[in-house]
Amino acid sequence: MLAIELIAGIMLVIAFIHYLYTKKNNEYKVSLVVNHLNSSDEIKKTLAMGLYLRFKKENVDAPKYSSTYIKQDPLQFERFVADIFEKAKGGSTWVSRASGDFGVDFDHTLNDELYLGQVKCYQGDLSFEPIALVHSNMVKRNARGGYVVTTGSFTPAARSYAKGLSIELIDGVRLVDIWLASVNNAEQEIRKITPEFI
């Protein structure tokens, strides 16, 4: 009887050590993948292009996409970006109505301060007009800052115009960075509420 209990105890210790080793090994592999994703500009550019294709407005004769793909419209892109900002930066977001938003697609409240966001699912480089709209709304609503977010990038004139306006220009690659950060933050929250030995 004592021998059986001793063997069972040894087996339990061996199983626990194996579990810890496997868990640590899996976390290391996940860490390598995440670090590679975070460092690979090519992957980020591909993901930015994928976001454009996912949310772009389609014509009547739109191509038929594989059922594997996620296809949504530009209005859903506004909610997608607002959710990413909430998860990555904290605070809370509110998405405005589709029409009559005066150039503001979402409000982001962070530390009791208001930030206004304009979102563009855009193939090319954005000009300064969306920046001007966000800035005029910031002044009108006494906002602390703003964001102009695009799947593409910005023209040199847009970048020059935004200097000193407290408006963060977020191109497709930077959006992917924020998206990955939001996924990481969500994983951390899940780990907080999940028992350690699951």
Side-chain angles (χ1 to χ4, degrees):
M1 182 87 162
L2 183 61
I4 293 175
E5 291 176 359
L6 183 61
I7 292 172
I10 292 171
M11 294 294 286
L12 188 59
V13 169
I14 291 171
F16 182 72
I17 291 170
H18 176 71
Y19 165 77
L20 289 178
Y21 173 78
T22 304
K23 180 180 176 189
K24 185 175 183 179
N25 194 26
N26 286 341
E27 287 176 353
Y28 174 73
K29 289 176 184 176
V30 169
S31 172
L32 284 177
V33 171
V34 169
N35 287 337
H36 182 70
L37 279 174
N38 286 338
S39 64
S40 174
D41 197 46
E42 184 178 341
I43 290 173
K44 291 176 188 177
K45 287 180 179 182
T46 302
L47 289 172
M49 184 176 176
L51 286 175
Y52 166 71
L53 292 171
R54 174 179 173 176
F55 290 105
K56 77 175 188 161
K57 185 175 183 173
E58 295 288 356
N59 297 327
V60 177
D61 57 341
K64 300 290 182 205
Y65 293 102
S66 168
S67 61
T68 301
Y69 301 153
I70 302 171
K71 186 66 182 126
Q72 295 173 294
D73 65 44
L75 295 177
Q76 292 165 317
F77 185 48
E78 296 171 5
R79 169 74 352 221
F80 176 81
V81 171
D83 287 344
I84 286 174
F85 273 66
E86 252 184 50
K87 291 174 186 162
K89 296 179 179 264
S92 62
T93 57
W94 176 80
V95 177
S96 62
R97 295 188 332 250
S99 62
D101 62 14
F102 301 106
V104 175
D105 295 321
F106 71 95
D107 294 5
H108 182 211
T109 304
L110 183 61
N111 300 324
D112 294 324
E113 296 191 296
L114 178 64
Y115 296 82
L116 304 176
Q118 171 68 258
V119 177
K120 295 287 187 189
C121 182
Y122 203 67
Q123 179 179 348
D125 294 341
L126 277 182
S127 68
F128 70 91
E129 284 92 353
I131 300 163
L133 280 171
V134 168
H135 185 253
S136 68
N137 278 285
M138 284 169 50
V139 171
K140 185 177 180 180
R141 295 179 56 193
N142 199 28
R144 173 77 173 94
Y147 318 104
V148 177
V149 182
T150 180
T151 51
S153 192
F154 299 91
T155 64
R159 291 186 188 282
S160 177
Y161 186 86
K163 286 183 181 170
L165 297 181
S166 297
I167 297 174
E168 186 178 352
L169 301 184
I170 300 170
D171 64 14
V173 173
R174 178 71 182 119
L175 179 59
V176 168
D177 281 332
I178 296 169
W179 186 19
L180 292 173
S182 75
V183 170
N184 188 42
N185 288 350
E187 287 175 4
Q188 296 302 323
E189 289 299 315
I190 290 169
R191 286 185 181 153
K192 286 179 187 176
I193 61 172
T194 305
E196 187 176 334
F197 296 107
I198 290 182

